[in-house]
Amino acid sequence: MGNAQGIGAAVKRKEDRRFLVGRGQYTDDVTLPNQSYAVFVRSPYGHAKVNGVEAKAALAAPGVLAVLTGADVAADGLGGIPCGWLVKSKDGSPMVEPPHPALAQGKVRHVGDPVAMVIASTKAAAKAAAALVEVDYEPLPAVGLLANAIAPGAPQVWDEAPGNVCFDWHIGDPATTDAAFAKAAHVVELDLVNNRVAPNPMEPRAANGNFDGANDQYTLYTTSQNPHLTRLLLAAFTLKVPEHKLRVIAPDVGGGFGSKIFHYAEELLVLWASRRVGRPVKWTSDRMEAFLTDAHGRDHISNAKLALDANGKFLGLRVHTYAAMGAYLSTFAPAVPTYLYATLLSGPYDFPAIYAEVKAIFTNTVAVDAYRGAGRPEATYLLERLVEKAARQLGMDRVELRRKNLIRADQFPYQTQVALQYDIGDYQATLDLALEQADYAGYAARAAASKAKGKLRGFGMSTYIEACGIAPSALVGALGARAGLYEAANVRIHPTGSVTVFTGTHSHGQGHETTFAQLIADRLGVSTDQVEVVHGDTDRIPFGMGTYGSRSASVGGSAIVKALDKIVDKGKKIAAHLLEASVADIEFKDGQYRVVGTDRVKAFGEVAFAAYVPHNYPIETVEPGLEESAFYDPKNFTFPGGTHLVEVEIDPDTGVVEVASVTIADDVGVIINPMIVDGQAHGGLAQGIGQALLEEAVYDAEGQLTNGTYMGYCMPRAADLPNFKVGNHVTACTHNPLGIKGVGEVGAIGVPPAVINAVLDALAPLGVTDISMPATPEKVWRAIQAARAGKGA
Amino acid sequence: MPKLTLSVNGQPRTIDCANATLLVEAIREHLGLTGTHVGCDSSQCGACTVHVDGRSVKSCTMLAVEAEGAAITTIEGLATGNDLHPMQAAFKEHHGLQCGFCTPGMVMSACDLAARNPAPSEGEVRHWLEGNLCRCTGYHNIVKAVRAGAGDMNGGK
């Protein structure tokens, strides 16, 4: 396309300046005239009856405007927090979908469940008064751990969910899978746990609600990845006021990673409280509150069996998974361990048979929902741990076993046994690229050098695929989604040729203000400086479903391209008039309309000006103005994939695992901005390595979160991570106009099993065969001690 | 309420604030400088890092009254007019920020490192940033930016 700022250019980010000079505007930075502040009284118990709430002392405290409880929520008819996805059990029955009142009514079901809301004129006053609210709790038996919740006789989170089962779902063909196992030469079995992690965007959630009684208008500032979805849920289910009276603004948002997709009770409550007290009401989570109330990720217990023939060809896969839901169903929770997990169990491999069963289980914890990768990391971890174990058990080379079973480039489109159809990929190419960039051939020498230092070196890999670009509306509708998952865009060309793009996606670190400007620059030949990208405000943007599931470039970008197509086409008609030529003879290239085969041209800016000053204009057939909207509904998921390679060095005396190198080769489709794409990969890798080595949200049996601060929850720090080697091999997605697949989640999906496989490779000479995430120094040290003791005995 | 007099980004300021007010609250709420962020409640994340008399300090660990008479520099005070400070420019050049929330603290902390160590190694940068959490970047580009910015601050340009 020839534009130095177009597709493929590493343009520096337009949004950086405001963040670098301290002029970003995050939700907590917004303070409205006459602002008041809310603090929540939250359950300290995993499960309890609430016999009463005594607010007299709090109400009498200085500055207090109101103390609101579940009874007020009920009296005012606020709706419960809805779930956005209905999954049906094997027998066709719908999942158990318990009520989720915004403030507890009669019972609390996890630590952090909100019981009362104190509103005061200052945050300090609200905090002080919250301590005066007396709640009469009657503790009930609680179940904080998934492993305990599935045991016979476990405490019941919900009376209507016997055995704590939310749904019992399956996918694939049990008969062909049984047949595959019956003829297998080898069966490899693995039990594993996918550890619960807390998302931890650096900006804690916040919400500031303002009800303007004079105009009957509600405005919500909120830390959301999808303000239109939040508005839709507020309008249709919770606040129950129509969209035209409700404006949701997600200004600068400091990271999300999934946790800011969901509609949270606080968003509803600040709007409602503002109506009650007649002042804007702001709530800002502190970090401990974030640990207790932001939806967590992962938390699976699985058993997996792989059937292979005598040559190592995969014949079948059988998986049984228990997936924690928490106490309440968060917005997309049921979709994560089903349609984003089990449908990915074929991985990048040619599997003739797969059968997977998933039981979703209630626990007395905060909800589990989508966290960077959402289901796909769990599938990848299971599969790549299992494949690695197979290589070891069969005495086969780990690379060759994978290579033998990868779907070949000539097999696309490839229909899996678990519903998905992969459009395109070249998994051999990413495997080769990664091995070359990691100098795999030199590994033995590096291992020897580590050994000479008294360290244990290990090599681990994963070949993975994911499904993103979420998602075809009709397909997800058939699978239980209660919303469409298209995207919307509006492209406004101004009279002097500058451009404003309104997108329904939301940037909270992804750099859309730059990459979407590059799409415009690429197509219209304008500079990115001439383009403003607007997101995050339901009053300015036609509609949108927001940013998650690596959908913004592939789905949101495609909507922008569709709008641009309309702009270019309309411009052709204007240019034909100005150039006194037939529309069919006009071509648009490099920012110019040209009569084909001539030097008669009109610059795009001239055409834009004519559209707004239509003196010499085809006014009979073409409306003035140059602005177009488009909605784009994807035809399929997109399927990024690749190979992640990790080398670790373990100190056998301390159990400390040092990540010595991380080399990845991904196929994320066409790349708009390689600088931003690499940055997305880096961030995903850090979260994936964090899950593998450092992070775990640890509940105890009674549902107390034992490590809900940065003193207890081990976030990856700079010194925990190496530099990353990132490579790309592009096959263009076949079904969207840009050929984009998506990069937001690949790091978090591909790398955890590569890390653990590397740890186990390092420990294999000692006889260690299994270790769970996170592989902390203590766990590694204990595994080494146990192996040595076993050998010595 | 006690009166507090201090210098903020080179300007003398006097504010009324309660004894229990943290420096970060004074900066954000009393002085209206919202570039300094609060990301945790245990002095771990470093998003609130500012300079107090030239040294980086987590402003959540200090009472505002302890800053009586001090010279405070916040992220808003680094750039000169339209010209970014070399450390800010390096973060932009090397894509050392994504969501931007940890960025002010990272930049303030990095400036202090560069003042002490004009040519920090990768390991020294990673060690120095122990008290600054970022969830977006994996630190890869932050480390690059800090090393480049330190060079530029110390005459490398």
Side-chain angles (χ1 to χ4, degrees):
Chain A
M1 299 260 181
N3 187 314
Q5 296 184 315
I7 292 171
V11 175
K12 306 301 177 202
R13 298 202 323 168
K14 289 163 63 71
E15 46 271 79
D16 282 355
R17 186 180 178 87
R18 69 174 185 272
F19 298 128
L20 284 164
V21 300
R23 297 302 294 269
Q25 196 182 46
Y26 301 87
T27 298
D28 186 56
D29 300 340
V30 177
T31 298
L32 299 169
N34 211 21
Q35 184 74 61
S36 71
Y37 298 84
V39 166
F40 289 93
V41 177
R42 296 183 182 278
S43 171
Y45 296 102
H47 197 190
K49 266 191 200 161
V50 177
N51 290 328
V53 181
E54 177 50 67
K56 259 187 212 147
L59 279 165
V64 172
L65 303 170
V67 177
L68 303 173
T69 68
D72 301 309
V73 164
D76 282 6
L78 298 183
I81 308 300
C83 180
W85 203 296
L86 170 69
V87 169
K88 291 183 177 166
S89 287
K90 290 170 185 169
D91 63 5
S93 61
M95 66 187 187
V96 176
E97 197 171 354
H100 185 183
L103 290 172
Q105 290 172 6
K107 268 189 189 176
V108 286
R109 287 186 169 83
H110 69 90
V111 173
D113 210 355
V115 177
M117 180 185 195
V118 178
I119 300 131
S121 53
T122 67
K123 191 169 178 181
K127 218 170 184 173
L132 301 175
V133 175
E134 286 174 39
V135 184
D136 177 7
Y137 294 106
E138 184 182 330
L140 296 169
V143 60
L145 300 170
L146 176 58
N148 295 353
I150 57 181
Q156 294 294 288
V157 181
W158 294 98
D159 296 338
E160 57 265 50
N164 293 313
V165 177
C166 174
F167 58 78
D168 179 3
W169 175 92
H170 66 161
I171 193 168
D173 188 331
T176 58
T177 306
D178 284 348
F181 276 83
K183 66 177 180 189
H186 307 281
V187 172
V188 179
E189 181 172 6
L190 186 61
D191 287 306
L192 39 76
V193 169
N194 204 290
N195 46 324
R196 176 187 271 254
V197 290
N200 278 303
M202 292 316 303
E203 179 206 23
R205 287 191 299 116
N208 193 347
N210 187 29
F211 174 63
D212 167 7
N215 295 296
D216 201 22
Q217 179 75 36
Y218 296 81
T219 302
L220 174 69
Y221 293 85
T222 182
T223 48
S224 175
Q225 300 177 215
N226 34 230
H228 284 89
L229 180 64
T230 300
R231 187 185 63 167
L232 176 63
L233 296 175
L234 280 163
F237 297 102
T238 62
L239 188 63
K240 302 177 189 169
V241 301
E243 280 100 329
H244 71 289
K245 290 293 183 190
L246 185 53
R247 178 181 187 183
V248 178
I249 300 169
D252 287 324
V253 172
F257 315 113
S259 68
K260 293 172 181 169
I261 299 172
F262 324 120
H263 179 30
Y264 288 94
E266 295 90 351
E267 295 173 314
L268 161 69
L269 293 170
V270 293
L271 286 167
W272 167 65
S274 175
R275 188 175 75 203
R276 299 261 314 207
V277 304
R279 293 172 64 169
V281 176
K282 175 155 78 174
W283 165 77
T284 304
S285 173
D286 62 29
R287 183 56 61 184
M288 280 191 274
E289 209 174 5
F291 271 106
L292 294 173
T293 66
D294 293 2
H296 289 175
R298 322 294 189 238
D299 205 354
H300 284 193
I301 296 174
S302 294
N303 172 269
K305 293 191 187 82
L306 173 65
L308 304 94
D309 74 10
N311 298 316
K313 177 79 187 72
F314 299 165
L315 298 176
L317 178 70
R318 193 187 285 138
V319 174
H320 190 283
T321 293
Y322 294 100
M325 293 281 103
Y328 303 101
L329 294 178
S330 175
T331 309
F332 287 123
V336 176
T338 50
Y339 298 108
L340 293 174
Y341 164 71
T343 54
L344 269 297
L345 285 169
S346 194
Y349 303 114
D350 182 16
F351 263 109
I354 299 176
Y355 180 60
E357 295 168 285
V358 177
K359 267 190 192 174
I361 303 295
F362 291 111
T363 53
N364 288 115
T365 67
V366 73
V368 179
D369 203 330
Y371 165 65
R372 201 168 196 165
R376 293 151 285 165
E378 296 91 311
T380 304
Y381 182 68
L382 177 142
L383 206 48
E384 290 305 299
R385 286 284 315 273
L386 191 58
V387 169
E388 193 74 15
K389 184 170 180 181
R392 207 166 279 283
Q393 189 171 315
L394 273 60
M396 289 185 68
D397 179 82
R398 56 197 161 204
V399 176
E400 291 317 308
L401 177 62
R402 287 177 169 89
R403 200 184 289 283
K404 183 189 288 268
N405 287 286
L406 289 175
I407 298 163
R408 297 186 316 273
D410 62 8
Q411 285 178 283
F412 293 98
Y414 178 84
Q415 178 63 52
T416 72
Q417 301 302 310
V418 276
L420 296 178
Q421 191 186 73
Y422 305 161
D423 63 330
I424 193 167
D426 188 346
Y427 308 142
Q428 309 279 349
T430 43
L431 173 59
D432 290 338
L433 178 62
L435 290 169
E436 184 201 320
Q437 291 193 332
D439 180 27
Y440 184 51
Y443 174 70
R446 293 191 294 278
S450 296
K451 196 173 177 187
K453 290 190 292 181
K455 301 282 177 69
L456 303 164
R457 199 173 186 95
F459 176 93
M461 65 184 300
S462 84
T463 45
Y464 77 95
I465 186 173
E466 68 132 327
C468 62
I470 292 170
S473 294
L475 173 62
V476 296
L479 301 180
R482 288 162 168 165
L485 289 169
Y486 49 83
E487 197 43 74
N490 174 274
V491 177
R492 180 178 298 161
I493 312 296
H494 299 290
T496 59
S498 67
V499 184
T500 304
V501 179
F502 301 87
T503 173
T505 66
H506 186 279
S507 186
H508 32 278
Q510 295 87 344
H512 299 167
E513 292 171 40
T514 304
T515 47
F516 290 164
Q518 288 182 255
L519 292 182
I520 306 296
D522 195 86
R523 189 68 182 277
L524 300 183
V526 300
S527 154
T528 52
D529 292 342
Q530 292 292 302
V531 184
E532 193 71 21
V533 175
V534 177
H535 59 92
D537 183 342
T538 60
D539 265 15
R540 297 188 69 191
I541 293 138
F543 201 71
M545 297 307 294
T547 288
Y548 40 82
S550 304
R551 68 191 303 274
S552 295
S554 66
V555 187
S558 296
I560 293 170
V561 167
K562 270 187 79 176
L564 280 170
D565 288 343
K566 297 183 193 179
I567 297 268
V568 167
D569 283 351
K570 182 171 179 182
K572 268 187 190 168
K573 292 176 191 158
I574 301 166
H577 178 89
L578 295 173
L579 292 164
E580 297 176 345
S582 144
V583 174
D585 291 336
I586 302 291
E587 64 173 9
F588 182 71
K589 210 181 154 190
D590 298 333
Q592 288 188 319
Y593 288 98
R594 176 185 300 273
V595 181
V596 176
T598 75
D599 59 359
R600 289 160 59 207
V601 298
K602 283 285 171 194
F604 180 74
E606 291 178 273
V607 169
F609 189 78
Y612 286 96
V613 186
H615 295 164
N616 174 20
Y617 196 79
I619 200 76
E620 299 296 328
T621 53
V622 182
E623 290 174 20
L626 200 51
E627 171 171 351
E628 297 288 351
S629 291
F631 283 64
Y632 174 82
D633 201 87
K635 296 179 186 74
N636 191 356
F637 292 92
T638 61
F639 300 99
T643 296
H644 289 188
L645 306 177
V646 171
E647 290 182 28
V648 299
E649 202 175 59
I650 297 176
D651 183 334
D653 296 330
T654 62
V656 170
V657 178
E658 186 196 329
V659 182
S661 72
V662 176
T663 309
I664 68 171
D666 295 322
D667 177 357
V668 301
V670 171
I671 290 168
I672 301 175
N673 184 322
M675 177 189 81
I676 287 175
V677 161
D678 285 357
Q680 288 292 307
H682 297 161
L685 288 170
Q687 283 172 272
I689 294 166
Q691 183 182 12
L693 294 179
L694 308 170
E695 297 181 44
E696 182 168 28
V698 181
Y699 277 94
D700 72 9
E702 280 73 44
Q704 292 292 335
L705 183 62
T706 61
N707 64 339
T709 77
Y710 287 153
M711 307 297 280
Y713 187 93
C714 191
M715 289 279 280
R717 293 170 196 256
D720 296 321
L721 299 168
N723 281 316
F724 306 118
K725 259 191 224 168
V726 177
N728 284 283
H729 173 90
V730 173
T731 64
C733 172
T734 60
H735 57 77
N736 66 50
L738 290 162
I740 287 170
K741 296 181 183 176
V743 68
E745 297 158 290
V746 293
I749 292 167
V751 91
V755 174
I756 295 299
N757 287 340
V759 169
L760 289 175
D761 188 51
L763 299 179
L766 305 177
V768 176
T769 57
D770 190 22
I771 200 153
S772 62
M773 297 193 292
T776 57
E778 181 193 348
K779 229 185 254 178
V780 171
W781 185 85
R782 285 185 190 281
I784 292 170
Q785 301 309 309
R788 282 180 176 156
K791 272 195 179 163
Chain B
M1 255 188 222
K3 264 204 183 343
L4 175 65
T5 302
L6 69 177
S7 157
V8 180
N9 298 330
Q11 302 292 318
R13 298 289 299 264
T14 301
I15 54 174
D16 293 322
C17 68
N19 282 328
T21 303
L22 298 173
L23 180 59
V24 66
E25 293 168 339
I27 290 170
R28 286 182 57 80
E29 290 159 29
H30 296 258
L31 296 164
L33 296 169
T34 55
T36 301
H37 297 147
V38 179
C40 75
D41 33 31
S42 52
S43 295
Q44 291 291 305
C45 81
C48 65
T49 305
V50 299
H51 292 178
V52 178
D53 294 329
R55 308 210 113 185
S56 59
V57 166
K58 291 178 178 176
S59 59
C60 73
T61 62
M62 225 176 125
L63 295 169
V65 292
E66 293 179 275
E68 170 68 36
I72 309 291
T73 306
T74 69
I75 190 70
E76 289 92 342
L78 273 195
T80 310
N82 277 332
D83 295 334
L84 293 178
H85 181 281
M87 190 60 78
Q88 292 170 317
F91 269 70
K92 175 166 179 161
E93 179 66 25
H94 296 280
H95 190 28
L97 66 153
Q98 291 185 23
C99 81
F101 194 81
C102 77
T103 307
M106 284 284 177
V107 169
M108 298 310 287
S109 181
C111 286
D112 192 10
L113 170 63
R116 295 166 195 243
N117 180 350
S121 68
E122 185 199 323
E124 287 170 333
V125 173
R126 288 185 182 276
H127 179 71
W128 176 265
L129 292 179
E130 199 230 358
N132 290 82
L133 292 175
C134 169
R135 193 58 152 170
C136 293
T137 65
Y139 304 99
H140 179 110
N141 286 340
I142 289 178
V143 174
K144 263 206 278 190
V146 172
R147 296 188 70 196
D152 293 343
M153 278 171 68
N154 291 286
K157 252 189 181 165

